Amino acid sequence: MAFQIILNFVLAFVWMFLSSNYTATGFIIGFILGIILLIIMRRFFTTRLYVYRIWAIIKLTILFFKELVLANVQVLRVVLKPKLDMQPAFFAYPTVLTQEWEITLLSSLITLTPGTVVVHVSDDAKTLYVHAIDISDVDEAITAIRDSFEKAILEVSKS
């Protein structure tokens, strides 16, 4: 991935020098042309194009902000109810993530979402223990995390 980024910058600078356009616009045009060339030459690379990973990171960021807003609304509903009928619970979340940064990112995303906290990661890093402030169905919560955060992290880390 780093090689592709460097190659893209080199192609952008080569375009600037060939077109004698030493402005930001010339660089941007060269950068876009470099991306197009990388897409054309993608079969020569062993990993996927870095543009796809950047797009996956953008989608993960948007997903996090969406979940953050929805969780804040849900916690606000719980707090503003006249009758507190919360169902707090601890549950074990089995993860398929293997790298430390993936597990750390998943734990951080779960913890930064209001109403949930990762309290422990198992020694083999295969299970996260999560506390939720108001949860009616544990299986539904596990499926929601798997289909949102974990799936997006896997897409970012995919080679």
Side-chain angles (χ1 to χ4, degrees):
M1 185 172 106
F3 174 73
Q4 294 173 12
I5 295 172
I6 292 170
L7 182 61
N8 199 358
F9 275 100
V10 168
L11 290 171
F13 284 118
V14 167
W15 173 259
M16 284 176 55
F17 292 130
L18 288 177
S19 65
S20 298
N21 186 0
Y22 305 109
T23 63
T25 306
F27 177 79
I28 291 171
I29 291 170
F31 195 80
I32 292 170
L33 289 173
I35 289 174
I36 293 169
L37 283 173
L38 287 174
I39 290 171
I40 292 170
M41 299 184 313
R42 71 180 173 264
R43 68 185 180 116
F44 297 109
F45 299 116
T46 57
T47 60
R48 71 179 179 157
L49 290 177
Y50 79 94
V51 178
Y52 297 124
R53 183 166 289 175
I54 290 174
W55 180 246
I57 291 170
I58 291 169
K59 289 192 320 188
L60 176 63
T61 305
I62 291 169
L63 172 70
F64 170 68
F65 284 120
K66 181 190 90 162
E67 291 293 328
L68 183 67
V69 169
L70 293 175
N72 273 308
V73 169
Q74 185 180 10
V75 169
L76 185 64
R77 279 190 205 148
V78 169
V79 170
L80 293 179
K81 279 185 183 176
K83 181 181 174 190
L84 288 177
D85 57 348
M86 294 187 306
Q87 296 175 335
F90 284 95
F91 63 93
Y93 176 76
T95 182
V96 296
L97 302 176
T98 56
Q99 298 180 16
E100 287 183 12
W101 72 268
E102 294 172 334
I103 295 167
T104 303
L105 180 60
L106 179 62
S107 299
S108 298
L109 290 174
I110 292 172
T111 300
L112 288 172
T113 305
T116 56
V117 175
V118 175
V119 292
H120 183 68
V121 178
S122 66
D123 293 335
D124 62 353
K126 296 290 182 194
T127 306
L128 303 176
Y129 297 97
V130 181
H131 178 268
I133 194 170
D134 187 24
I135 188 167
S136 57
D137 186 13
V138 172
D139 292 330
E140 182 181 311
I142 289 172
T143 304
I145 293 171
R146 181 172 293 119
D147 291 343
S148 60
F149 290 138
E150 190 169 24
K151 182 179 174 185
I153 292 170
L154 284 171
E155 188 176 331
V156 169
S157 67
K158 184 171 53 173
S159 299

